Amino acid sequence: MFKARFAPSPTGYLHVGGARTALFNWLVVQKEKRTDSEAKFVLRIEDTDNQRNKPEWTQGIIDALLKLGLNWDEGPIFQSSRIEVHKQTAYKLLDANFAYWCNCTKENIEDRNRQSKFVGYDRHCRDLGLQYQSGYALRFKVPLQSTSKFHDLIRGDVEIENSTLEDFVLLKSDLTPLFVLANTVDDMDLKITHVIRGEEHLYNTFKIILLWNAISSVNSDSSNLNATGSIPTFAHLPLLVNKNRQKLSKRRDQVSVEEFFDSGYLPEAMVNYLALLGWGTKNDREILTVEELIDQFDLKDVNLAPAFFDVQKLTHFNNIYLRDMPKANFYDRALTYLKDHTDIDISKYDRPSIEHMLDLIQPRIDTLKDIEVMIGFFLKDNIEIPDELFNKIYSDSSNRQILTDFFEVIKTLDFKTEILHNTLETIGLKFNKKLSKSQAPIRIAVTGSSIGPPLFESLVILGRDKTLARLDKVSDRFGR
């Protein structure tokens, strides 16, 4: 049986790098399911760090994965519920001489390193035969006379001299299991066949291989092994970097999947974009459905080079998905976003008028967050014009006169798009201004912004009374 897993630690929001890892695992499993109905995608929450884990972050990760459509077949499995299993495995390794107790403190190790110029743990306690006392850590005894190697689906054959690995900790001084132990034991018990994760775990993989072999030799229960009875197949994905080619950092870069959703990015656009980070189609197509991604995705085609997470390109993808979305779907997404992320009471406005406004802006917005900026003037009783924008536009006497003339003329005109268009164009020409320039004093007075949907269609939807009231309010502000 083919079985892959995504195993996030709930020490923060879902990072876009983690989302990409989950997606690549999910795509591989979905493709495998076409020939193997028992293939499974497992969600395991590695929540053993009590000091850093928070329930809301666990729920945030789960909710974000569901929004992305990355449904799992098994789980969520909480690693914290298996701590005793991890400990018992560690004690078996101790009994079989694969591990030993160590009483070295961090300060002890650093002092010896300064004197010997050794880097890392120097195996000081390896042959002392210490018996457990409170505060002792349990270390794995790395076999020193051999190498560890594996075949990576992306990187090919990878090998390391075991002597370059330090004797790593299995149980901390408080007897809490370390990541490498818990990770290995859980992958064995879950019968994981493929481990697909970021390249930052590459070094840990050698430790896992050593640990896996040791556990297999002391564990008589063969059901602990995966379906083939062997170590999983590994694939280590390239790093995600920013425009400066630096590894993405939550302190410096926008990396939270949840924050992107809150900012109005669509899950389907995010999935499409994440799939292309380190991988690409053979025909260079970029906009693909989920089914097309499943059809074409192959880990062997993943590039080794770091992948640039480009927010501008993600925004471009989002614009395409919004622009091409069926109108009924767009209306529902837009209204749900306004309800959940703004203080606008949608129920106060008639739906046909809102939908008409949404029709005007659908091709023009990059994210759902843009909706409030673009049509907020229609959905709010009062608008505010920032002083800087007001002074920039209305310090020009011709702009003030254009607004005044337009205000007077439209009181008695048929309030129709073409008539309003021609009227303002004629007024602007008196001041040697093209229509694009003469629209500014009207748009800002009515919408409070220099950007927005087509002006004259917007005025008709807003209505004569509200349009006149807003023009009059601005006239009073600059003094007629």
Side-chain angles (χ1 to χ4, degrees):
M1 182 202 305
F2 188 102
K3 206 170 187 184
R5 50 67 169 179
F6 177 54
S9 297
T11 56
Y13 41 69
L14 180 61
H15 190 287
V16 290
R20 183 193 61 167
T21 297
L23 173 61
F24 281 21
N25 276 276
W26 186 86
L27 288 172
V28 169
V29 172
Q30 302 316 303
K31 191 168 189 175
E32 193 68 25
K33 281 183 177 181
R34 293 176 174 177
T35 55
D36 176 7
S37 61
E38 294 187 354
K40 288 186 178 180
F41 174 54
V42 181
L43 175 62
R44 184 173 73 226
I45 305 295
E46 301 196 333
D47 59 338
T48 54
D49 189 342
N50 291 327
Q51 292 183 336
R52 298 176 63 205
N53 295 335
K54 290 185 180 180
E56 58 267 31
W57 283 336
T58 298
Q59 192 59 50
I61 290 171
I62 290 172
D63 291 344
L65 290 173
L66 291 173
K67 272 192 177 181
L68 291 168
L70 306 184
N71 301 321
W72 46 91
D73 306 297
E74 193 173 324
I77 297 164
F78 291 89
Q79 197 170 67
S80 58
S81 68
R82 294 176 43 80
I83 287 178
E84 288 307 312
V85 177
H86 306 148
K87 287 183 178 180
Q88 291 306 314
T89 303
Y91 296 142
K92 283 185 180 181
L93 293 172
L94 175 66
D95 291 342
N97 200 33
F98 283 107
Y100 60 92
W101 292 111
C102 172
N103 64 2
C104 296
T105 64
K106 180 181 178 181
E107 291 72 24
N108 294 154
I109 297 170
E110 289 175 350
D111 286 343
R112 292 198 301 268
N113 285 349
R114 277 193 292 270
Q115 295 174 23
S116 65
K117 297 185 179 178
F118 189 86
V119 178
Y121 180 64
D122 57 2
R123 302 186 173 90
H124 178 79
C125 296
R126 183 180 175 110
D127 300 314
L128 296 183
L130 298 176
Q131 299 300 306
Y132 174 71
Q133 293 186 35
S134 178
Y136 284 18
L138 186 67
R139 289 185 178 272
F140 182 76
K141 189 181 289 185
V142 173
L144 302 179
Q145 305 305 317
S146 58
T147 61
S148 293
K149 57 185 176 181
F150 67 94
H151 180 78
D152 189 288
L153 291 179
I154 297 171
R155 297 161 192 281
D157 293 331
V158 189
E159 185 173 349
I160 194 172
E161 293 288 335
N162 286 346
S163 59
T164 64
L165 296 170
E166 68 177 14
D167 287 358
F168 51 90
V169 175
L170 300 177
L171 299 177
K172 293 192 292 188
S173 58
D174 63 357
L175 300 184
T176 301
L178 263 290
F179 162 82
V180 68
L181 173 64
N183 191 276
T184 305
V185 172
D186 288 349
D187 280 350
M188 295 180 81
D189 286 356
L190 286 168
K191 296 179 171 55
I192 298 299
T193 63
H194 289 71
V195 174
I196 304 161
R197 57 188 182 178
E199 71 172 33
E200 64 270 20
H201 292 291
L202 186 64
Y203 186 75
N204 280 330
T205 300
F206 295 110
K207 299 178 183 179
I208 285 171
I209 290 170
L210 292 171
L211 196 50
W212 191 292
N213 289 330
I215 295 171
S216 298
S217 71
V218 302
N219 199 332
S220 59
D221 180 5
S222 61
S223 67
N224 255 10
L225 300 177
N226 65 32
T228 63
S230 60
I231 294 170
T233 299
F234 290 94
H236 290 86
L237 308 176
L239 288 175
L240 297 188
V241 297
N242 62 21
K243 62 183 178 181
N244 297 320
R245 314 307 292 179
Q246 299 170 312
K247 181 181 177 181
L248 284 184
S249 165
K250 62 183 179 182
R251 294 180 181 85
R252 180 184 56 238
D253 305 301
Q254 186 178 1
V255 296
S256 163
V257 172
E258 293 96 317
E259 287 180 4
F260 277 110
F261 289 159
D262 287 342
S263 297
Y265 287 83
L266 302 174
E268 52 267 51
M270 178 69 77
V271 165
N272 191 160
Y273 180 64
L274 288 175
L276 300 179
L277 292 177
W279 173 82
T281 59
K282 289 183 170 58
N283 60 7
D284 293 328
R285 275 186 60 208
E286 291 192 318
I287 303 301
L288 299 103
T289 65
V290 170
E291 285 302 312
E292 288 173 326
L293 288 173
I294 294 170
D295 285 339
Q296 299 186 40
F297 186 80
D298 193 323
L299 283 171
K300 294 177 182 177
D301 296 328
V302 173
N303 198 315
L304 279 175
F308 170 32
F309 183 78
D310 185 352
V311 176
Q312 287 187 336
K313 189 164 186 178
L314 170 61
T315 303
H316 172 65
F317 273 47
N318 208 64
N319 169 270
I320 293 172
Y321 272 85
L322 284 168
R323 185 190 66 201
D324 296 343
M325 189 178 291
K327 288 192 181 301
N329 192 357
F330 178 66
Y331 297 157
D332 289 342
R333 296 278 193 106
L335 295 178
T336 298
Y337 185 85
L338 289 172
K339 176 178 176 291
D340 293 343
H341 292 87
T342 71
D343 58 1
I344 297 171
D345 182 1
I346 298 297
S347 63
K348 290 170 53 180
Y349 305 91
D350 76 281
R351 178 142 180 167
S353 294
I354 296 177
E355 290 179 354
H356 195 167
M357 292 297 302
L358 292 174
D359 286 339
L360 297 178
I361 68 169
Q362 184 175 357
R364 295 172 167 82
I365 61 172
D366 290 327
T367 71
L368 293 172
K369 189 174 184 178
D370 294 339
I371 295 172
E372 184 179 9
V373 176
M374 295 285 271
I375 67 171
F377 74 93
F378 173 74
L379 299 173
K380 297 177 180 178
D381 293 331
N382 297 300
I383 61 166
E384 298 295 331
I385 304 172
D387 289 341
E388 183 178 356
L389 181 59
F390 184 93
N391 294 332
K392 177 181 177 182
I393 298 301
Y394 300 113
S395 60
D396 182 337
S397 60
S398 63
N399 283 339
R400 296 196 300 271
Q401 193 60 49
I402 287 171
L403 184 146
T404 300
D405 290 354
F406 188 69
F407 172 79
E408 293 298 334
V409 172
I410 66 172
K411 288 178 181 179
T412 56
L413 285 178
D414 282 346
F415 217 70
K416 296 180 179 179
T417 300
E418 186 177 357
I419 293 173
L420 294 171
H421 174 284
N422 294 338
T423 298
L424 185 57
E425 186 173 38
T426 300
I427 291 172
L429 289 175
K430 292 193 301 183
F431 300 92
N432 296 317
K433 290 194 175 187
K434 295 181 179 179
L435 183 61
S436 59
K437 297 293 184 182
S438 56
Q439 285 188 69
I442 309 304
R443 179 183 296 282
I444 289 164
V446 174
T447 70
S449 174
S450 58
I451 60 171
L455 176 63
F456 304 108
E457 289 90 335
S458 299
L459 297 183
V460 171
I461 298 170
L462 186 64
R464 187 198 308 270
D465 291 344
K466 284 188 177 180
T467 297
L468 287 171
R470 292 184 184 184
L471 293 175
D472 194 36
K473 183 177 179 181
V474 170
S475 296
D476 286 341
R477 184 171 170 182
F478 64 64
R480 283 177 285 194

